[in-house]
Amino acid sequence: MRKRLHILQLAAIVFFTVSGGPYGLEPLLGYAGTHGALLLLIVTPILWDVPAILTVLELNSMMPVTGGYYQWVKKTLGLRFGFYEGWWTWLYTFVDLAIYPVLFVSYASFFFPEIAHFKIPICLVIIWAGAALNIVGISPVGKASLMLGLLVIAPFIVLFVIAINNGTHFSFPAPSLKGIPFSSIGMALYTVMWNFFGWDNTTTYAEEVDRPARTYLKSISIAFATVILVYIMVLYSTLHYNINAQTLNEQGYPALGLLAGGEWLGAAISIGGMAGALGLFSAVLLSVSRVPQVMADDGLLPAKIHTLHPRFKTPYISIIICAIVVSFMILWSFQELIIIDVTLYGAGLFLEFITLIVLRIKSPTVHRPFRIPLSVRGLCVMVFLPVALFAIALTGAFAEDGKMFMPAVFAVAALVSAEVFWQIIKMVKKRI
């Protein structure tokens, strides 16, 4: 029998799938300033995460199956939109996975500055080591996530304790977006949203979770509280030491550690960044590797992708394909990847919101171990909040001068590609 995930293991995987610590949040201060950063860290989880989490919990309690969100959309809206959901998720996850090996090298450069010259081979080692871990099975990924999670969180707890015991009086600035250009607000939103998404990704292996309805509710709650707590602690420490926004963006949180505690804390935060990158890669690869497997079952991808490893019973062909594609994507810049990431993810999340509302209308009496305590009208209002936030972020990205316009255009083109490939699949099936 396959080993199944339990509450703490799943909570650790959810934490890494969604966050992996505050690494990647560094540009926020430059975009939103001290007043705007606090406001966005308060507002974004309420408008963006809470509706997504509630949607995931209700749909997953109804259909805790391998493939998660793909299966929900397919069974409710039909195979075409199920393909859209799977295709968009596959694309955005390739982009997402390419970020983490690059982040690993970035934080490793604290110890070995010359490591940047070997970025590509080191990234490839990380990619294929993560693939090997996923092939071995879901339980090792869960255990590894628990250990890596401690390495990520512990240095920031120490940083926070040092800050509050510093003796200097400090209070958070008043939350405000006054004076911040609209394009900067859009980029700040993208930065925060990227650091808060992926709740649905953890449902693709629901059949490998012990008592899924109960376990997901507790695990996601633990992960959500942990993410919020870590981000607030880090923002407090960042503002307390008044580190320059450009320095933070260029050198990352190790620079804050050096400022607050010296070489040892900078080193600890760098190690946490490396651990976070490894944990994120393994956790996200775990979730996406199950989607091609179920799409192949439906004839949307070659059947060979569904092949399970003879010993570990994991979709190793799917994992290997994901690793191959990501190996070719590690040269992209971090901020460009964030725009593509969030845009593709937001489109898939929108289909999940529609699925939630349609199921409430068509199947109101079907048993839901977890049910959002809202009427259909209330669900529509709830869904409007993250969709509006997503629209503001995308509009802001298009308004940004320079490099950020093209990633936004590329992301929209990637969305359109779902229909193109759907038509190709239809033509191929007609000829068979």
Side-chain angles (χ1 to χ4, degrees):
M1 293 180 63
R2 281 194 235 179
K3 292 183 178 180
R4 291 177 173 268
L5 288 177
H6 298 283
I7 292 172
L8 288 180
Q9 290 178 338
L10 181 59
I13 292 178
V14 173
F15 173 78
F16 274 114
T17 304
V18 171
S19 167
Y23 304 101
L25 202 59
E26 294 95 333
L28 177 62
L29 206 60
Y31 287 131
T34 55
H35 297 273
L38 177 60
L39 179 62
L40 292 179
L41 276 182
I42 294 171
V43 171
T44 304
I46 297 172
L47 301 183
W48 175 250
D49 287 84
V50 172
I53 289 171
L54 293 175
T55 299
V56 166
L57 289 174
E58 178 164 325
L59 292 175
N60 190 61
S61 72
M62 293 178 68
M63 292 178 273
V65 293
T66 297
Y69 48 82
Y70 164 76
Q71 300 281 26
W72 310 337
V73 174
K74 183 192 73 175
K75 292 178 181 179
T76 306
L77 304 181
L79 189 59
R80 183 182 205 153
F81 288 105
F83 174 75
Y84 279 20
E85 179 79 1
W87 182 256
W88 288 339
T89 302
W90 217 20
L91 291 181
Y92 106 72
T93 310
F94 288 147
V95 177
D96 203 41
L97 284 169
I99 293 174
Y100 307 128
V102 175
L103 278 178
F104 179 92
V105 172
S106 174
Y107 284 102
S109 65
F110 179 87
F111 303 102
F112 312 104
E114 66 279 2
I115 201 173
H117 301 298
F118 306 98
K119 183 180 81 170
I120 293 178
I122 292 172
C123 287
L124 291 174
V125 169
I126 293 169
I127 290 168
W128 289 98
L133 182 63
N134 270 264
I135 290 172
V136 171
I138 192 169
S139 184
V141 175
K143 292 176 181 177
S145 295
L146 274 173
M147 292 186 292
L148 292 172
L150 293 174
L151 290 174
V152 169
I153 296 172
F156 289 106
I157 294 176
V158 173
L159 175 66
F160 178 68
V161 171
I162 291 174
I164 61 177
N165 288 320
N166 186 258
T168 305
H169 176 72
F170 171 79
S171 59
F172 276 114
S176 172
L177 293 177
K178 186 177 180 180
I180 301 174
F182 179 68
S183 59
S184 293
I185 292 174
M187 292 305 301
L189 278 174
Y190 263 111
T191 301
V192 179
M193 290 162 73
W194 181 78
N195 280 273
F196 272 107
F197 78 15
W199 304 100
D200 52 349
N201 285 350
T202 62
T203 64
T204 59
Y205 40 82
E207 291 183 12
E208 300 170 70
V209 174
D210 184 53
R211 292 186 289 181
R214 170 180 171 274
T215 301
Y216 271 99
L217 175 59
K218 293 188 175 182
S219 298
I220 287 179
S221 299
I222 293 170
F224 182 67
T226 303
V227 172
I228 294 291
L229 182 61
V230 170
Y231 287 1
I232 294 298
M233 287 194 305
V234 170
L235 181 61
Y236 177 91
S237 304
T238 302
L239 298 180
H240 178 83
Y241 287 103
N242 197 29
I243 188 170
N244 180 270
Q246 184 175 351
T247 301
L248 182 65
N249 190 30
E250 292 175 355
Q251 300 179 26
Y253 287 118
L256 181 60
L258 286 172
L259 185 63
E263 190 77 21
W264 69 271
L265 187 54
I269 291 176
S270 296
I271 291 171
M274 294 159 64
L278 293 175
L280 277 162
F281 186 88
S282 293
V284 174
L285 181 58
L286 173 66
S287 66
V288 75
S289 63
R290 270 55 176 176
V291 176
Q293 174 188 346
V294 292
M295 291 177 72
D297 288 343
D298 293 328
L300 300 177
L301 293 174
K304 186 71 175 176
I305 293 177
H306 185 194
T307 305
L308 299 180
H309 193 279
R311 178 182 175 187
F312 302 116
K313 306 304 178 186
T314 52
Y316 75 104
I317 298 295
S318 175
I319 293 170
I320 290 172
I321 290 174
C322 291
I324 290 172
V325 176
V326 174
S327 296
F328 288 97
M329 302 183 69
I330 54 178
L331 296 176
W332 295 31
S333 74
F334 176 73
Q335 291 177 333
E336 290 173 338
L337 290 171
I338 284 181
I339 290 180
I340 300 169
D341 244 7
V342 177
T343 304
L344 290 169
Y345 174 80
L349 185 62
F350 180 65
L351 286 181
E352 294 166 35
F353 288 146
I354 294 175
T355 298
L356 173 71
I357 294 171
V358 170
L359 281 174
R360 279 291 192 94
I361 295 171
K362 289 186 175 181
S363 308
T365 59
V366 172
H367 177 59
R368 294 163 168 82
F370 177 87
R371 184 185 181 94
I372 302 171
L374 293 172
S375 64
V376 172
R377 183 175 296 178
L379 291 179
C380 291
V381 174
M382 182 192 80
V383 164
F384 173 77
L385 299 176
V387 172
L389 196 71
F390 175 76
I392 292 171
L394 182 60
T395 306
F398 274 108
E400 176 80 3
D401 293 331
K403 296 190 300 181
M404 299 309 158
F405 178 80
M406 287 310 298
V409 172
F410 178 86
V412 173
L415 294 177
V416 175
S417 72
E419 175 62 21
V420 174
F421 279 90
W422 172 254
Q423 294 298 332
I424 292 173
I425 290 170
K426 284 176 62 179
M427 287 190 294
V428 170
K429 284 191 172 184
K430 283 181 180 179
R431 292 176 181 177
I432 295 177

